[in-house]
Amino acid sequence: MIFDYRKATSPADVEADICIIGAGAAGLAIAWSFLGSQVNVCVVEGGGLDADMRNQALFEGSSVGVPEFDPGASRLRAFGGTCNLWGRGCIPLANLAARDWVPHSGWPIGFADLEPHYVRARTFCGLESHDFNEDSFLTPSSRKTLPFDGDSLVHKTFASSPMIFGQAYRTEFDRAANITVLLHANLLELEALPSGAAVRQARIGTLDGHRGVIRARHFVLACGGIENARLLLSSNSVRPNGLGNDHDLVGRYFMDHPSGKLGALYTADPEAVIRPYDRNVPKGKPQAHPEICLSDEAQREHRILSGRVRPFAFQEPVPEGLQALRDLRAIMRARRNHDNWEIKARVCGRKNGEPDYIANARPSEDDIASLTLRAGLGAADIAKAFGRKLTRKPTVKTERVDLVGYFEQVPNHDSRITLGEERDALGLRKVSVDWRLTELDRHTYRTAAKLFGAEMARVSKGEFRPEPWLEEENGVPQVFGTSHHMGTTRMADAPELGVVDRNCQVHGIGNLHIAGSSVFPTGSWAFPTFTIIALSLRLAEQLRMRLEQAAPFLG
């Protein structure tokens, strides 16, 4: 059942077999795997069914690294998590093996360990009809892709999930007798036994002062790459440095998928470059899309990280009437789909890696009256655009194609999440993000831009012009994060090398586990959600076996 923890009808204290902190993709996938079972699960979610300003403020923090990173604008605090806004792209993760040119690379598990859980993840994501292999889905694209020679660039296919998890599974959780979901309940601390060998209980509370505890046989942190680290560091009443942090690894190796414009492609037929990668697929077509990726051979030869590029149309100046109509439709669509769309617009403003001229052009609600008037005055522009669309031409002519890159990041010991001195409304210390890139990251951007640009210019009979920062010897990378937070509680067999073991249990703490991309040792270029879900279902299977065998001693 789903309860609002702020209300008197909600249980103050809870006893459960499993306590899951976080109701994003990871937490919901674990709870989903226990639906209708004899296992009692309590899911603790700090937000409500939708985002609101007061809860969202609990994610605020500071940035001390380069590039700058805004922790408050890259996550959503609500039931379903940031996947309320996700791009829905699913693809298995590649590059799990160690690479001698990538420091700290290599997972302690391989594709064979994840494959059966990827199969179940397809069901959770509504993708049962899509087959896959080690690093791609096998569903054919609905459009013919560019004919690369395969030496440097290849195509990988991702499947597009139809699911928004918080909406799709809300009714099931609300009806489940063995699942208790507490909304607006925030974790204050995981209290450990005096020995530190197990978690005794979770202290939770609301912004209005309601407090309680959850006692469970097993605890799972599933709050994302930033918050998992923050909550471990904040749980320091027994271990002054925080839980799982005996080797000063909690919060370290923080990664994202850096993204930035690599340059512009000028060609006589830009639509031939853009159309194969347009994700607006007609109804009835396979919901699978190709990505333009660096080949494994190119990565080895040039000793670079993995990456992909997406072509964006840079259009000639959009007629005023047509732009007004576009902006008006964007506002009305956002208001229709989201109760608090301003928060979601801020969080997902650049989630698709759009260039600045797209990402920064979103109008505010105050513009509605003005936009309506401008759209009316520009009726001729709109009619002309509609006529072009009827003849299957773009509504506005494309001037050039911008190539935007998305890259794997080096696992860097000094790229980290720590606790700042400022405290939030719950009294917890806010995060401080020190996001850092290495010379290998920068080498990857420079080399990849040449590889992507040269091959795409060849197949399109065009010219590629790289961005100036890529040609400057000490140019500052013009990249930003894509809300794919990874690595802060990395997986390793030895506690000196990672926070969790290969089964996602925190080293040295018998009943504390971590779900989500914070356990990723490396991130490839791939969208992380599909692997997050597979790892979560794998963890759920481990928990099921542990519960069947014996309960840990909690004192």
Side-chain angles (χ1 to χ4, degrees), residues 268-535:
D269 188 6
E271 288 302 316
V273 176
I274 295 165
R275 180 166 291 277
Y277 310 100
D278 182 358
R279 297 177 184 177
N280 294 315
V281 176
K283 291 182 179 180
K285 296 289 185 179
Q287 294 299 307
H289 308 277
E291 289 286 355
I292 304 169
C293 304
L294 294 167
S295 69
D296 291 343
E297 292 75 18
Q299 294 172 52
R300 283 193 295 269
E301 178 185 351
H302 298 281
R303 299 179 73 80
I304 57 178
L305 303 160
S306 66
R308 64 184 175 99
V309 74
R310 185 177 173 192
F312 284 89
F314 183 90
Q315 298 175 329
E316 291 182 349
V318 180
E320 185 175 358
L322 180 59
Q323 186 62 57
L325 180 63
R326 288 179 175 181
D327 291 346
L328 186 61
R329 289 176 63 186
I331 288 179
M332 301 312 293
R333 187 182 304 114
R335 292 178 70 189
R336 181 173 65 252
N337 293 339
H338 304 302
D339 293 339
N340 201 332
W341 70 276
E342 294 95 336
I343 295 175
K344 299 190 178 183
R346 179 192 176 204
V347 172
C348 73
R350 302 196 67 165
K351 71 181 177 66
N352 291 322
E354 297 163 338
D356 283 341
Y357 58 80
I358 297 175
N360 295 336
R362 290 180 170 82
S364 69
E365 189 167 5
D366 294 338
D367 296 329
I368 288 179
S370 172
L371 291 172
T372 302
L373 177 61
R374 286 165 50 201
L377 294 174
D381 298 333
I382 296 171
K384 183 178 179 180
F386 183 69
R388 289 178 62 86
K389 189 172 183 179
L390 288 176
T391 59
R392 302 185 64 82
K393 296 179 180 178
T395 53
V396 179
K397 187 176 179 181
T398 300
E399 179 182 295
R400 67 172 192 256
V401 178
D402 283 349
L403 301 184
V404 177
Y406 305 77
F407 295 97
E408 178 182 12
Q409 183 179 344
V410 174
N412 179 2
H413 181 268
D414 294 325
S415 182
R416 65 187 303 195
I417 303 297
T418 59
L419 299 181
E421 294 304 316
E422 188 178 358
R423 294 183 181 268
D424 66 16
L426 292 167
L428 299 180
R429 290 168 66 184
K430 295 184 177 182
V431 293
S432 176
V433 181
D434 190 353
W435 188 35
R436 300 190 190 186
L437 304 174
T438 70
E439 180 51 40
L440 178 53
D441 292 299
R442 292 184 280 272
H443 168 62
T444 296
Y445 308 150
R446 293 191 295 266
T447 305
K450 293 176 182 177
L451 294 173
F452 283 125
E455 180 64 4
M456 294 191 70
R458 183 188 71 82
V459 298
S460 66
K461 297 180 173 60
E463 177 192 2
F464 175 70
R465 300 176 190 172
E467 287 293 284
W469 65 269
L470 289 161
E471 300 189 301
E472 298 169 2
E473 185 173 344
N474 297 311
V476 177
Q478 301 300 303
V479 296
F480 54 87
T482 50
S483 300
H484 296 165
H485 310 143
M486 300 170 283
T488 58
T489 63
R490 71 194 324 254
M491 180 192 296
D493 284 333
E496 298 82 8
L497 301 176
V499 176
V500 302
D501 65 17
R502 62 176 55 211
N503 295 320
C504 296
Q505 177 190 311
V506 175
H507 285 294
I509 305 179
N511 68 338
L512 180 57
H513 317 266
I514 298 180
S517 52
S518 68
V519 307
F520 287 17
T522 55
S524 179
W525 66 262
F527 317 118
T529 305
F530 193 54
T531 300
I532 287 172
I533 293 166
L535 275 172

Side-chain angles (χ1 to χ4, degrees), residues 44-225:
V44 178
E45 169 55 48
L49 293 174
D50 200 70
D52 65 74
M53 293 291 189
R54 196 177 178 209
N55 279 303
Q56 192 65 23
L58 296 172
F59 277 155
E60 299 292 343
S62 59
S63 174
V64 297
V66 177
E68 189 174 352
F69 191 99
D70 184 352
S74 58
R75 302 169 285 166
L76 194 71
R77 200 177 186 94
F79 184 72
T82 311
C83 275
N84 284 309
L85 307 172
W86 73 313
R88 310 192 194 201
C90 294
I91 191 168
L93 196 69
N95 296 328
L96 299 184
R99 289 160 283 166
D100 61 9
W101 68 94
V102 182
H104 310 291
S105 62
W107 289 50
I109 61 175
F111 177 74
D113 299 294
L114 285 174
E115 186 174 14
H117 309 289
Y118 277 135
V119 171
R120 289 196 66 214
R122 287 188 312 174
T123 300
F124 185 79
C125 295
L127 297 172
E128 295 95 328
S129 62
H130 296 262
D131 291 327
F132 62 90
N133 61 18
E134 191 162 346
D135 60 356
S136 182
F137 274 88
L138 304 178
T139 309
S141 172
S142 60
R143 295 178 176 134
K144 187 177 180 180
T145 55
L146 294 175
F148 300 131
D149 61 17
D151 290 340
S152 58
L153 304 188
V154 294
H155 287 104
K156 302 292 184 182
T157 300
F158 74 87
S160 183
S161 170
M163 311 288 273
I164 297 295
F165 306 124
Q167 298 173 11
Y169 294 111
R170 175 181 168 184
T171 300
E172 286 187 69
F173 285 124
D174 202 20
R175 292 175 178 173
N178 69 311
I179 308 288
T180 300
V181 178
L182 303 179
L183 302 177
H184 298 286
N186 302 276
L187 178 66
L188 304 177
E189 183 177 8
L190 292 170
E191 292 186 350
L193 294 175
S195 66
V199 173
R200 183 171 66 91
Q201 64 183 18
R203 289 196 301 110
I204 61 174
T206 69
L207 283 168
D208 299 322
H210 182 201
R211 298 290 184 264
V213 298
I214 299 173
R215 297 180 181 88
R217 297 164 70 185
H218 290 275
F219 294 84
V220 180
L221 267 183
C223 298

